[in-house]
Amino acid sequence: MSLSGVEAFGARLRRLRHAAGLTQELLAHSAGLSTNAVSQLERGLRRHPYPHTLGALADALGLDGAERAAFVARPAPPDSSAGSGSSSTLADGSPGADTSLIGRDDEAKSLVSRLTGVAGGRLLTLTGPGGVGKTRLAGDLAARMRSAFADGVVFVPLASLTDPSLVVPTIARAVGLREEAQTHPGELLSEHLRDKSLLLVLDNCEHLLAAAPRIAELLSVCPGLRILATSRSRLGVRGERAYPVEPLAVPEAGAATDVDRVSNAPAVQLFLARAQDADPEFALTPDNVEEIAEISRRLSGLPLALEVAAARVRFLGSTQLLARLDEVMGLRGARDLPERQRTLRATLDWSHDLLSSAEQVLFHRLAVFAGGFDLEAAEAVSAGGVLTPDVVLASLENLWEQALVRTAAVSGPAGVRYGMLEPVRQYALERLADSGEEDGARARHAAWYLTLAERVEPELSGSEQTGWLEVLEAEHGNFRAALAQTLRRTEDDTALRLAVALRLFWYVRGHLQEGRRWLQEALTACPSAAPPLRGAALEALGHIAVKQGDIAAAESSYAQALALARTSASTPATAAATGGLAVVALWTGAHERATQLSRQSIALWRQTDNASGLASALNAAGLVEIQRGRHRDAIVLLEEGLAVSKAAGDQGLTAAHLNKLGWCSLEDGHLDQAARSFGDALARFARLGEQWLAADCLDGLARVSLAQGRPTRAARLWGAADAQCVVIGATTLPLDPSVYECLTSRARDEMGEDAFAEAWAQGAALSPDRVLGEALAGIAIEGAE
């Protein structure tokens, strides 16, 4: 090769078209371009076609081998100094340069610093799944660094190559060299770049990893050369620095979906930009903001998926687009994208076809996990057939290398958690269904998570309950998937066992409506389950119904649970159902009946060795005595319950007793002691994630503040308490509604209606952390022991 001139691109295209016997119209149709585009290219009016345009033309012309490599090497721009020995600067023609880079400006600045700095390394590989925007980011980086390298930036598209041995010749042509029979292309390229200050951008390397050692050799002999590569996996050579390109941030689930908040999410910004390309009148409005936020979340912020979906918004509208999202993902995107990127499916097909057969099987089976998994779960659910545990580990590592599986560091014994982007998982699920293995994989998945739930359930009343609650929260998506699967099986009681095992988790973490629905569906799906199991489910339904303020439903559930408990002569079950009915009586104002039932429950629990059951009964009985105004009797019950709870290490019940003791202190006028008790309980509830009882602590602290002459603080705390109940779908009605109304009216009178409403709204808008900080300000508490 030499640095002599290269045949003008337009003339070359015309010559190849004639050789193929094609008109401009036929070539345009085969390549997915307009006839005008082909005409402009041949006439030299478009001198810098995109790499995907070159690939499409090469496909239509039937080019392969060296001829294809020569064709897809992008022509140098008019101001190229190739004739004087410099490489061409191609940043202005890099992919995506015609659209703004959204959501990655800080990221791009950091990467520019790495590529141009001394300590940044000379080979930087942008890794990530197909469609995450690696090529687009690389193009932007190339544009930003045009002036940072004396000999320019050269963008080399490699997607169309199938033979790793063509990588070096393709790079050589991209920098302006031409073949010489007597000299190996690698030697000429090394000699040419030895004294150059140049950035090479090698795009789409994942299927050409065998050429990575040649790239490393090139760096070793060319000290002024730096390489930016894009690949779904690392190149695997010494000196490489890998940078994982993450999907764009999406709006937080469960957060307020106002237009300003949602529009700040980069994923939504990209969706809107591409939607407005299709429909300039499209805008984010209060009517569609929730749908657009959910679309971006469902697509996991994956840029290609967002762009494909946004292109359909004019045709479908946001409502139908969300409803038909999976169908939309199979439709074609922009025609000027490479064929393998015109649909998300094609992009994932590309990645899938690079996997070994064992890796493909593992990829399919892992799709049954919803919301991530750890290594132990992956081995248990995925092993079988060709996948022995050691093969699972090795294959999982390669799926991670190929960016089809993601990792995240987590606390706890697992250390690392794995998962897939949701569009990738949906693709893998379809492949799993096609393989005929779906039923078996889902059955193993359900069995694993039933075992986990039943193993963890006893721990939720012990000293490690906070950590175990976090484990269950992390696996909540998998529990949902397991429940949905097992509800289809009416021949066994797996669904009901799983729902009962999760009931404490649902209580504490505020998944009230969801827990109630699963329990009801499981009871219906498992009509022949044993009485103790059905009774436990009914008792759980009663507990949730009380929190939701549905007292009639709670009474019905507890009554059925009591009947089943007596049938099976189970003392613990009888004690639990009796205690539940005591709480129902309390909420209906039947205080005498509540006292009688709560004392019966205590007596029954004393016959067992269940410390948490006894503590719960003592707590309920103490609350009954508080409502009756018998504070000394309440304190005796609550102090015993507190001692039992602490001995058992049950943080939730310890907090519940401290909360009730706070109410006793408040009623007796001991404001400082009340504040300490409420604050201690609140801190413990916050650690557990228990919001309903935390709201009761906030109500208590608000009443303390009002009694101390601080009505503004009281209004803010009441607002925060009300908001916490609303978030989890719990009742906001206190046990003493008339007293509550009197106190809030007093604060409103002291502050004025407008100031009270403003303070209430400010409290309601506080984040949980801010609520905790404000509520505990100035209170000296012991904290959890």
Side-chain angles (χ1 to χ4, degrees):
M1 299 184 181
S2 70
L3 287 174
S4 58
V6 182
E7 177 185 15
F9 178 76
R12 182 193 304 173
L13 176 59
R14 187 181 305 108
R15 174 174 58 79
L16 291 170
R17 177 173 61 78
H18 288 159
L22 297 173
T23 64
Q24 287 186 346
E25 290 79 5
L26 287 173
L27 177 59
H29 178 75
S30 297
L33 304 172
S34 68
T35 302
N36 184 52
V38 173
S39 174
Q40 289 184 339
L41 287 169
E42 290 191 355
R43 288 183 291 151
L45 300 179
R46 287 183 58 190
R47 299 186 180 185
H48 317 303
Y50 291 136
H52 44 260
T53 300
L54 293 170
L57 287 168
D59 290 340
L61 292 166
L63 304 180
D64 56 19
E67 187 177 31
R68 181 188 182 94
F71 182 81
V72 299
R74 295 175 58 107
D79 59 352
S80 170
S81 54
S84 61
S86 293
S87 300
S88 57
T89 302
L90 299 179
D92 56 322
S94 56
D98 56 334
T99 58
S100 60
L101 186 69
I102 294 175
R104 300 199 189 276
D105 189 58
D106 290 343
E107 191 174 14
K109 291 176 181 176
S110 174
L111 289 170
V112 166
S113 178
R114 290 195 192 192
L115 282 164
T116 57
V118 175
R122 296 174 56 218
L123 170 58
L124 177 65
T125 304
L126 304 181
T127 63
V132 81
K134 301 183 296 296
T135 296
R136 179 66 187 85
L137 178 57
D140 184 84
L141 294 173
R144 290 173 187 248
M145 291 185 288
R146 294 182 62 180
S147 61
F149 295 88
D151 296 293
V153 178
V154 176
F155 196 99
V156 187
L158 300 174
S160 61
L161 298 185
T162 58
D163 184 350
S165 68
L166 294 176
V167 170
V168 169
T170 300
I171 296 172
R173 289 185 176 277
V175 300
L177 295 168
R178 72 179 184 185
E179 295 182 10
E180 288 185 356
Q182 295 81 12
T183 310
H184 189 276
E187 294 177 14
L188 279 174
L189 183 60
S190 296
E191 184 62 30
H192 173 60
L193 297 180
R194 192 179 303 276
D195 299 322
K196 297 290 190 296
S197 171
L198 178 79
L199 175 67
L200 274 180
V201 182
L202 305 181
D203 189 37
N204 292 113
C205 300
E206 59 271 358
H207 59 304
L208 303 165
L209 297 181
R214 308 288 80 78
I215 295 171
E217 289 173 10
L218 193 61
L219 281 169
S220 69
V221 298
C222 303
L225 177 67
R226 298 210 173 189
I227 294 178
L228 172 64
T230 74
S231 177
R232 300 184 190 189
S233 63
R234 299 169 59 102
L235 303 189
V237 296
R238 286 183 299 176
E240 178 186 23
R241 304 285 182 87
Y243 179 85
V245 180
E246 298 292 335
L248 297 175
V250 302
E252 181 183 354
T257 51
D258 61 274
V259 171
D260 289 341
R261 184 190 299 266
V262 170
S263 65
N264 287 329
V268 172
Q269 292 172 0
L270 177 62
F271 181 90
L272 290 175
R274 299 300 170 262
Q276 287 163 357
D277 289 342
D279 179 6
E281 301 300 318
F282 185 81
L284 190 67
T285 69
D287 292 332
N288 65 20
V289 63
E290 291 189 10
E291 293 166 340
I292 301 304
E294 182 60 20
I295 287 169
S296 69
R297 286 192 290 264
R298 285 268 304 276
L299 297 178
S300 301
L302 197 63
L304 177 61
L306 291 164
E307 294 192 357
V308 171
R312 302 294 179 270
V313 76
R314 183 174 184 178
F315 173 63
L316 292 172
S318 57
T319 301
Q320 285 296 315
L321 179 59
L322 177 58
R324 298 173 178 267
L325 205 53
D326 292 340
E327 299 172 57
V328 168
M329 289 301 95
L331 297 176
R332 290 191 174 274
R335 291 189 180 91
D336 63 346
L337 287 173
E339 180 63 30
R340 63 185 178 80
Q341 287 187 357
R342 291 192 195 176
T343 69
L344 186 59
R345 176 176 298 281
T347 298
L348 293 170
D349 282 341
W350 170 272
S351 292
H352 184 270
D353 291 346
L354 295 175
L355 302 175
S356 69
S357 58
E359 290 160 359
Q360 288 178 352
V361 171
L362 178 61
F363 178 53
H364 305 162
R365 293 178 183 177
L366 291 177
V368 298
F369 290 101
F373 52 91
D374 59 27
L375 180 58
E376 190 179 7
E379 291 174 332
V381 174
S382 300
V386 298
L387 294 181
T388 59
D390 58 323
V391 173
V392 169
L393 178 60
S395 298
L396 180 62
E397 183 176 12
N398 198 50
L399 291 179
W400 172 72
E401 287 280 359
Q402 295 291 333
L404 291 170
V405 166
R406 297 154 59 80
T407 61
V410 294
S411 59
V416 176
R417 189 165 178 81
Y418 306 89
M420 297 180 183
L421 295 174
E422 188 58 21
V424 175
R425 191 178 80 88
Q426 291 299 324
Y427 170 86
L429 272 177
E430 292 185 19
R431 288 282 192 162
L432 178 64
D434 292 342
S435 73
E437 292 192 329
E438 183 174 8
D439 289 344
R442 288 195 180 279
R444 293 191 299 274
H445 176 271
W448 174 263
Y449 283 99
L450 173 62
T451 300
L452 175 63
E454 291 185 332
R455 177 165 59 89
V456 170
E457 183 188 7
E459 306 292 340
L460 298 183
S461 300
S463 58
E464 303 298 324
Q465 63 191 137
T466 300
W468 286 113
L469 284 168
E470 291 298 330
V471 169
L472 297 185
E473 192 73 66
E475 299 291 3
H476 202 182
N478 284 309
F479 289 126
R480 290 170 176 141
L483 282 163
Q485 172 68 13
T486 55
L487 282 172
R488 303 188 185 101
R489 293 158 35 185
T490 58
E491 70 277 6
D492 61 41
D493 59 3
T494 302
L496 194 57
R497 286 172 59 194
L498 182 53
V500 167
L502 292 172
R503 66 192 189 281
L504 287 171
F505 164 67
W506 288 328
Y507 299 163
V508 175
R509 285 303 175 102
H511 302 294
L512 303 181
Q513 188 58 40
E514 181 176 358
R516 188 173 180 179
R517 177 174 62 83
W518 287 124
L519 284 161
Q520 289 172 333
E521 290 184 8
L523 278 166
T524 302
C526 306
S528 59
L533 183 59
R534 292 186 63 81
L538 287 162
E539 193 267 332
L541 279 173
H543 191 93
I544 291 176
V546 166
K547 283 195 168 188
Q548 292 183 313
D550 191 349
I551 304 304
E555 184 172 21
S556 174
S557 294
Y558 281 131
Q560 293 178 67
L562 181 59
L564 288 170
R566 288 171 173 168
T567 298
S568 57
S570 169
T571 299
T574 302
T578 302
L581 288 170
V583 173
V584 167
L586 178 63
W587 276 92
T588 57
H591 292 162
E592 290 295 336
R593 175 170 168 75
T595 299
Q596 177 187 13
L597 290 170
S598 63
R599 300 292 174 145
Q600 288 177 11
S601 179
I602 291 171
L604 288 166
W605 280 118
R606 291 193 192 280
Q607 299 174 30
T608 74
D609 60 354
N610 190 313
S612 292
L614 175 59
S616 294
L618 289 165
N619 181 67
L623 180 58
V624 172
E625 297 308 314
I626 290 172
Q627 293 303 309
R628 297 182 70 184
R630 297 163 55 165
H631 299 148
R632 289 189 178 183
D633 291 340
I635 290 172
V636 170
L637 292 163
L638 293 169
E639 287 185 342
E640 181 187 356
L642 180 62
V644 172
S645 300
K646 285 186 173 182
D650 192 319
Q651 293 297 319
L653 282 170
T654 298
H657 284 86
L658 288 167
N659 178 38
K660 303 303 184 297
L661 287 167
W663 287 103
C664 291
S665 296
L666 176 62
E667 293 297 327
D668 291 340
H670 304 309
L671 300 183
D672 289 344
Q673 180 57 48
R676 285 193 293 272
S677 294
F678 286 135
D680 195 347
L682 178 61
R684 294 170 192 262
F685 284 137
R687 280 189 281 274
L688 293 173
E690 161 60 83
Q691 290 180 273
W692 190 57
L693 294 178
D696 194 58
C697 294
L698 291 172
D699 180 16
L701 287 169
R703 299 187 193 200
V704 169
S705 296
L706 183 65
Q708 292 173 333
R710 295 189 288 173
T712 300
R713 171 177 162 84
R716 286 172 65 90
L717 293 175
W718 274 320
D722 188 78
Q724 288 200 175
C725 291
V726 170
V727 164
I728 63 172
T731 180
T732 59
L733 185 69
L735 273 168
D736 57 352
S738 60
V739 175
Y740 178 81
E741 179 61 31
C742 179
L743 292 173
T744 54
S745 294
R746 174 182 153 192
R748 187 180 288 107
D749 291 342
E750 290 182 13
M751 297 173 63
E753 183 66 41
D754 291 344
F756 179 85
E758 182 179 358
W760 181 291
Q762 289 171 348
L766 292 175
S767 67
D769 287 343
R770 290 284 303 279
V771 171
L772 183 64
E774 182 164 323
L776 298 184
I779 301 175
I781 60 173
E782 296 179 17
E785 298 174 356

